């Protein structure tokens, strides 16, 4: 469920018409709904209650500090994967004890930043990383709370570029070697083991892979406890998928996912932690663009928009589908026109959709890409020197630009011509 509905003939974000925002800041822009973000976060907390738990929002999916503050004020923790994301979480007022540091290549300065600034846990992904963390923590006279991310060798049945739980993926420590790595962790100075971490992939549309992975985690919990380790927290990762199209089969709901977690690991006496990104942010955001031209090709119509692959890369990168809807509500009996929806960038990959039936559009019309709150703005770039796409947050009848579009002066001033040139 989201809060992007047609009212009085125009698509709204909550109580604000997208035409009003477009008039104020020009297209393209991302717009997020505070009510949808809130609702999606609450679905997870409700699904895990009454187990002791923390929902740590995966910042990588949508990292604007205003959004982090909104979720943080609801009690959310944050899952970060870089020193930059750690800084964002802190800038949003999230205390260190609610920040989890994931990622396969943490650097020593990032470890130092998190250790000195405060951290809930590091999800350690390799033995060299474990040793580096022990050294850094020792040098600061601090203790690093850790889980070890295990790779359960489970097929997440998702796009290969976002599956992470098979043994051929770079993530985590093979579950078969987990006991020896935990033994090493227990011997190392300045390391405190607090639990186990697993994350098998993103946009999972079935529960079975989660079940297979969590059964292995439950077994491992027993084994590690028998080895003498204190396992008091299980971080079960993120990855629950969202519906990207109104016509496709809906993925399982957070409540079903929560029931699965309770059934498999609910009786282990552990605090449960999860790291969802997409399910909280994905359907809480739209990318709004304008039609620049409609070009007649050989047997096809190209709908040329002012948004491009640099603003939303998912279609070119993962062949991802995003519903595209007109901002002005079409009449109920409209006759669809079939378009190839493209951006202005100089490569054929800059295509959002081929052969997409849409309500007839004309130059200057606004369209919205649905389900772009996650992995939309965060993956945007300035390719073709197109200014980084701005972001807007709506709450009821308020809206605010939460990231400005940079000016061309700002963009050009980042380049410097050396004096010797
Ligand atoms: N935890 C870890 C360790 C992760 O690597 C990820 C996502 C998450 C949590 C959050 O997963 P989510 O709940 O959002 O599925 N750019 C791709 C998605 C990459 C996901 C990477 N890791 C896309 O646009 O589909």
């Amino acid at each position: 469920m989201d809060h992007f509905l047609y009212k009085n003939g125009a698509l709204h974000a909550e109580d604000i018409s997208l035409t009003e925002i477009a008039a104020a800041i020009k297209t393209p822009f991302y717009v997020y709904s505070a009510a949808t973000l809130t609702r999606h976060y609450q679905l997870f907390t409700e699904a895990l209650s009454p187990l002791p738990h923390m929902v740590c929002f995966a910042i990588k999916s949508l990292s604007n500090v205003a959004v982090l503050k909104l979720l943080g004020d609801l009690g959310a923790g944050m899952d970060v994967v870089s020193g930059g994301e750690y800084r964002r979480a802190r800038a949003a007022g999230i205390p260190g004890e609610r920040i989890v540091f994931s990622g396969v290549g943490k650097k020593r300065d990032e470890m130092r930043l998190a250790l000195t600034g405060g951290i809930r846990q590091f999800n350690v992904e390799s033995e060299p990383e474990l040793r580096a963390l022990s050294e850094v923590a020792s040098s600061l006279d601090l203790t690093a709370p850790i889980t070890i991310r295990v790779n359960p060798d489970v097929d997440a049945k998702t796009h290969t570029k976002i599956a992470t739980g098979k043994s051929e993926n770079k993530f985590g420590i093979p579950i078969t070697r987990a006991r020896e790595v935990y033994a090493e962790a227990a011997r190392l100075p300045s390391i405190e083991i607090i639990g186990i971490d697993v994350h098998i992939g993103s946009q999972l549309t079935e529960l079975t892979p989660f079940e297979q992975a969590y059964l292995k985690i439950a077994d491992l919990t027993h084994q590690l406890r028998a080895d003498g380790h204190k396992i008091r927290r299980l971080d079960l990762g993120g990855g629950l998928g969202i519906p990207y199209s109104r016509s496709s089969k809906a993925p399982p709901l957070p409540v079903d996912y929560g029931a699965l977690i309770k059934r498999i690991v609910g009786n282990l006496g552990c605090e449960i932690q999860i790291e969802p990104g997409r399910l909280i942010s994905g359907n809480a955001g739209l990318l709004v663009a304008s039609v620049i031209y409609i070009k007649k090709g050989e047997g096809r119509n190209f709908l040329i928009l002012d948004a491009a692959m640099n603003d939303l890369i998912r279609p070119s990168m993962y062949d991802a589908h995003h519903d595209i809807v007109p901002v002005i509500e079409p009449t109920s009996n409209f006759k669809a026109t079939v378009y190839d929806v493209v951006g202005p960038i100089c490569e054929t990959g800059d295509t959002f959709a081929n052969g997409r039936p849409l309500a007839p559009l004309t130059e200057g019309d606004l369209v919205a890409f649905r389900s772009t709150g996650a992995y939309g703005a965060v993956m945007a770039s300035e390719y073709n020197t197109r200014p980084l796409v701005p972001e807007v947050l709506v709450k009821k009848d308020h809206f605010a630009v939460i990231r400005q579009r940079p000016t061309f002066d700002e963009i050009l001033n980042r380049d410097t011509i050396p004096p010797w040139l």
Side-chain angles (χ1 to χ4, degrees):
M1 191 196 127
D2 63 43
H3 293 74
F4 300 110
L5 299 171
Y6 287 108
K7 294 181 202 171
N8 309 322
L11 191 59
H12 280 57
E14 303 194 18
D15 298 333
I16 302 275
S17 167
L18 298 182
T19 54
E20 186 184 336
I21 304 175
I25 69 157
K26 309 237 170 14
T27 54
F29 62 86
Y30 279 95
V31 56
Y32 310 119
S33 152
T36 311
L37 289 161
T38 303
R39 177 78 195 117
H40 290 170
Y41 166 74
Q42 284 167 346
L43 287 177
F44 279 117
T45 54
E46 285 162 16
L48 292 178
S49 293
L51 290 179
H53 67 269
M54 179 164 284
V55 177
C56 293
F57 176 59
I59 290 189
K60 61 161 75 74
S61 72
L62 172 52
S63 64
N64 190 291
V65 173
V67 169
L68 305 186
K69 173 164 185 342
L70 183 155
L71 293 170
D73 287 351
L74 297 171
M78 299 289 151
D79 173 55
V80 307
V81 290
S82 67
E85 286 193 351
Y86 180 88
R87 285 183 163 85
R88 282 185 176 276
R90 294 310 308 266
I94 316 294
E97 57 269 25
R98 281 201 261 143
I99 304 177
V100 176
F101 206 141
S102 299
V104 76
K106 301 174 200 78
K107 293 169 79 165
R108 286 166 191 253
D109 60 343
E110 294 176 314
M111 294 172 176
R112 224 168 272 128
L113 174 74
L115 280 165
T116 51
I119 191 79
R120 180 174 173 79
Q121 73 191 49
F122 290 91
N123 292 337
V124 173
E125 297 225 16
S126 68
E127 288 142 297
E129 182 196 337
L130 185 60
R131 290 171 205 138
L133 184 59
S134 165
E135 279 170 27
V136 173
S138 297
S139 73
L140 295 167
D141 223 357
L142 293 169
T143 299
I146 67 140
T147 70
I148 289 176
R149 177 169 175 184
V150 294
N151 184 323
D153 196 21
V154 162
D155 182 357
K157 299 204 170 68
T158 182
H159 192 288
T160 42
K161 285 191 183 158
I162 54 175
T164 55
K166 286 287 285 172
S167 54
E168 63 263 31
N169 303 134
K170 67 181 175 183
F171 300 97
I173 280 170
I175 196 159
T176 46
R177 292 191 38 243
R179 289 172 77 183
E180 79 191 68
V181 180
Y182 271 89
E184 174 168 5
R187 282 193 300 271
L188 283 171
S190 310
I191 294 286
E192 184 198 0
I193 296 171
I194 54 167
I196 310 174
D197 171 46
V198 68
H199 170 78
I200 57 173
S202 193
Q203 186 54 16
L204 271 70
T205 52
E206 294 172 32
L207 288 181
T208 318
F210 286 119
E211 176 162 10
Q212 290 166 345
Y214 297 168
L215 283 168
K216 292 187 178 194
I217 297 302
D219 280 352
L220 183 63
T221 305
H222 293 302
Q223 285 171 5
L224 292 176
R225 283 178 172 165
D227 290 347
H229 304 292
K230 285 205 184 71
I231 302 297
R232 58 184 166 85
R233 186 181 297 155
L234 299 180
D235 182 336
L236 301 174
L240 191 60
I242 61 168
Y244 272 102
S245 157
R246 303 209 156 187
S247 51
S248 64
K249 184 172 157 267
L253 299 171
V255 64
D256 305 319
Y257 175 65
L260 173 93
I261 289 176
K262 287 176 188 164
R263 177 161 57 80
I264 297 180
V265 295
N267 59 356
L268 294 173
C270 286
E271 180 187 6
I272 300 300
Q273 188 170 291
I274 55 171
E275 304 164 352
R278 191 188 311 261
L279 200 136
I280 293 177
S281 53
N283 279 322
L286 303 179
L287 170 64
V288 181
S290 303
V291 176
I292 311 179
Y293 300 116
I294 297 172
K295 172 159 111 171
K296 280 218 173 303
E298 195 74 78
R300 56 187 66 228
N301 296 303
F302 291 104
L303 188 72
I304 305 174
L305 302 181
D306 66 354
M309 64 189 285
N310 70 299
D311 305 307
L312 174 66
I313 201 160
R314 303 193 70 258
S316 7
M317 193 151 170
Y318 313 111
D319 295 321
H321 170 98
H322 286 273
D323 279 353
I324 303 168
V325 293
V327 167
I328 298 301
E329 187 171 18
T331 52
S332 54
N333 56 352
F334 73 85
K335 195 170 163 307
T337 305
V338 176
Y339 295 105
D340 284 358
V341 185
V342 301
I345 283 184
C346 310
E347 54 182 288
T348 303
D350 186 25
T351 297
F352 292 117
N354 283 314
R356 182 73 66 89
L358 297 175
L361 291 158
T362 55
E363 285 179 19
D365 283 353
L366 297 171
V367 294
F369 290 78
R370 288 195 181 273
S371 315
T372 49
Y375 307 110
V378 287
M379 294 180 80
S381 74
E382 288 182 344
Y383 186 37
N384 278 211
T385 308
R386 294 168 47 83
L388 206 55
V389 56
E391 295 172 287
V392 173
L393 182 65
V394 172
K395 184 175 176 184
K396 298 200 173 97
D397 58 354
H398 295 286
F399 81 89
V401 179
I402 55 171
R403 189 177 70 198
Q404 297 283 346
R405 180 182 281 111
T407 64
F408 284 107
D409 280 346
E410 284 164 348
I411 294 175
L412 294 181
N413 285 338
R414 290 202 306 255
D415 293 8
T416 48
I417 298 177
W420 40 259
L421 201 64

